[in-house]
Amino acid sequence: MRLRNRTRRFVGKPVRTHDELPVPLPFPDGWFYLGMSHEWKPGSVRTLTFAGEEVVVYRTRKGTLCATRPYCPHMGAHLGVGGSVEDEYLVCPFHRFGFTTDGECARTPYGSPPKARLDTLPVREISSMVWIWRHHNGEPPSWELPAMGIAGGHTPLSHSIELAGQTQDGTENGVDYGHITELHRIGVQSAVAKFVPDSPFFDLNYQLFRDFPLLGTTKQDFQMRAIGIAAYYGEIVLTRYGLRILTWSLCTPTEPGRFRFTMAHASSLDGPRWLPGPLRRLGARAVSRAALWKSVKDTTDDLYIWNHRRFLHHPKLNQEDGPIGPFRLWARQFYPPVATDTDGKTAGDAPATTSKRIPAPPPRNTVPRVTTDT
Ligand code: FES
Ligand SMILES: [Fe+2]
């Protein structure tokens, strides 16, 4: 069964319609995965939904990737609808004014350029992935993404699905130890999480006992590092086979109460020595493909539950649940101050507002949207 069909079939559509959802957490701040670098060829312009608005992401002819809010400061045309790249300029379709990669209006077909700028957003390309920065007040990045990748490895293979839920669901799932055995049937040992207050990162070390395609039941040392509230990556090392597998869990906020969840894998194979380099790379790619299949299979159990669950601000936890409480305290740093002061609580354990409901969105296709990049 194709990955696309697998997630569609098993995740299903939420039982509740979108306008019946309770008020979700506000969109968090930080860096968020947007897509794979190769999705933007030189000269391409794409419009994406990100954190409740549209962003236009384009790549210049020389390869610089840029992101901007969509509306031209001249007379308001949507740059993602007919906008084009000419050399290093993003050109508006309406009067053909051109904007530099810094967002400055720098050329026009008539008259001198007005003093005007696009409303640009910071982007980075790390590990062949595109990341975008968001801050509720439009402040510049206060922290940077670390390098994540495998020397000599291939471009990560990925699989995405759109879900109902909160942007933090994916990372919170990583510290929810109880469900790993009960839902995924994977043995867990020595799970230790180190939360550093005010750091956008946290580390978690697991020993997992799980079945792997072709390898049987394997003990894996899994070192996970959270990158902000919406992404984590981890490395699995199988010393016996000279194999390293990097795995990513990536959540992208799209609309209130919805997010896109992406799984990605990249591998490297150091042995056997007699195997020529190109064959090793082919082998590594095959391992990544198998690992992605396995992740989708395991994670589909999560997705089905996430897509239908309600976010509880005050979950009733027990001592074996894992550090969900400390995670939520750590997660508060990514949310804007809460507007309501009804009980003095902050985002992460309190709703942003207490009584409003999300306005009904325009009619939408409720079948989860799935993309696979293998
Ligand atoms: S509206 Fe963009 S150039 Fe006129
Ligand atoms: Fe899970």
Side-chain angles (χ1 to χ4, degrees):
M1 186 188 299
R2 291 174 63 82
L3 287 178
R4 177 187 298 267
N5 295 340
R6 177 172 189 94
T7 42
R8 270 207 183 132
R9 176 173 163 195
F10 287 97
V11 172
K13 64 180 181 183
V15 172
R16 296 159 294 155
T17 60
H18 190 65
D19 59 351
E20 290 172 331
L21 290 167
V23 170
L25 294 170
F27 292 121
D29 296 337
W31 289 105
F32 299 92
Y33 166 81
L34 211 54
M36 287 291 166
S37 288
H38 65 73
E39 293 172 36
W40 282 270
K41 307 283 182 228
S44 66
V45 181
R46 294 179 59 203
T47 305
L48 302 172
T49 302
F50 171 65
E53 59 185 348
E54 288 184 318
V55 288
V56 174
V57 184
Y58 69 96
R59 194 185 290 284
T60 67
R61 298 286 167 196
K62 285 187 182 161
T64 305
L65 192 83
C66 305
T68 178
R69 292 198 168 85
Y71 298 106
C72 176
H74 178 220
M75 288 187 67
H78 193 301
L79 293 157
V81 181
S84 58
V85 172
E86 290 181 12
D87 303 322
E88 297 303 279
Y89 296 94
L90 177 63
V91 176
C92 177
F94 203 179
H95 308 91
R96 301 196 54 76
F97 288 14
F99 297 87
T100 65
T101 53
D102 292 333
E104 188 187 341
C105 184
R107 77 175 198 190
T108 69
Y110 56 87
S112 53
K115 253 196 165 163
R117 303 188 71 82
L118 297 177
D119 196 358
T120 57
L121 291 163
V123 283
R124 301 280 186 272
E125 289 188 86
I126 307 278
S127 299
S128 305
M129 296 174 185
V130 174
W131 301 76
I132 190 165
W133 173 261
R134 175 189 188 274
H135 187 276
H136 64 283
N137 278 341
E139 290 174 16
S142 54
W143 53 278
E144 282 298 330
L145 294 157
M148 296 171 269
I150 296 177
H154 57 85
T155 301
L157 308 181
S158 67
H159 180 75
S160 301
I161 180 163
E162 309 246 346
L163 297 166
Q166 309 306 311
T167 312
Q168 71 179 53
D169 284 353
T171 308
E172 184 171 286
N173 195 252
V175 300
D176 178 351
Y177 303 158
H179 92 289
I180 295 177
T181 308
E182 299 307 320
L183 182 67
H184 299 300
R185 302 283 162 202
I186 296 172
V188 190
Q189 264 184 12
S190 310
V192 181
K194 294 179 207 144
F195 293 97
V196 182
D198 298 330
S199 164
F201 312 109
F202 75 81
D203 294 305
L204 181 58
N205 298 332
Y206 283 128
Q207 285 183 337
L208 297 174
F209 298 86
R210 66 195 297 183
D211 295 330
F212 233 72
L214 311 176
L215 304 178
T217 301
T218 313
K219 177 181 143 192
Q220 298 165 16
D221 289 319
F222 184 56
Q223 303 199 331
M224 157 184 159
R225 165 151 269 220
I227 312 293
I229 196 173
Y232 69 80
Y233 77 103
E235 186 176 45
I236 299 164
V237 181
L238 299 172
T239 317
R240 199 162 23 134
Y241 306 100
L243 186 60
R244 297 167 69 219
I245 305 171
L246 269 185
T247 175
W248 284 266
S249 159
L250 306 156
C251 297
T252 309
T254 52
E255 299 165 52
R258 298 190 70 85
F259 67 104
R260 185 168 60 255
F261 179 66
T262 302
M263 293 158 265
H265 287 277
S267 310
S268 72
L269 195 55
D270 294 333
R273 291 213 175 280
W274 48 264
L275 202 62
L279 282 183
R280 269 191 230 163
R281 280 193 288 281
L282 267 182
R285 203 179 153 85
V287 167
S288 294
R289 190 178 290 267
L292 184 62
W293 264 96
K294 181 66 177 159
S295 287
V296 170
K297 183 170 178 292
D298 290 344
T299 311
T300 299
D301 298 335
D302 285 313
L303 303 185
Y304 179 75
I305 289 174
W306 297 355
N307 202 33
H308 297 80
R309 78 187 274 221
R310 171 171 292 207
F311 183 84
L312 295 183
H313 295 283
H314 302 287
K316 305 296 181 197
L317 303 172
N318 84 10
Q319 291 188 333
E320 305 299 320
D321 270 319
I324 295 169
F327 167 80
R328 294 237 177 143
L329 285 174
W330 172 85
R332 287 181 180 182
Q333 64 181 298
F334 299 99
Y335 288 99
V338 177
T340 181
D341 61 359
T342 51
D343 58 4
K345 295 193 175 66
T346 56
D349 67 1
T353 55
T354 50
S355 57
K356 275 200 228 153
R357 287 187 175 276
I358 308 166
R364 62 196 334 310
N365 174 12
T366 51
V367 175
R369 280 166 279 176
V370 182
T371 52
T372 302
D373 175 24
T374 57

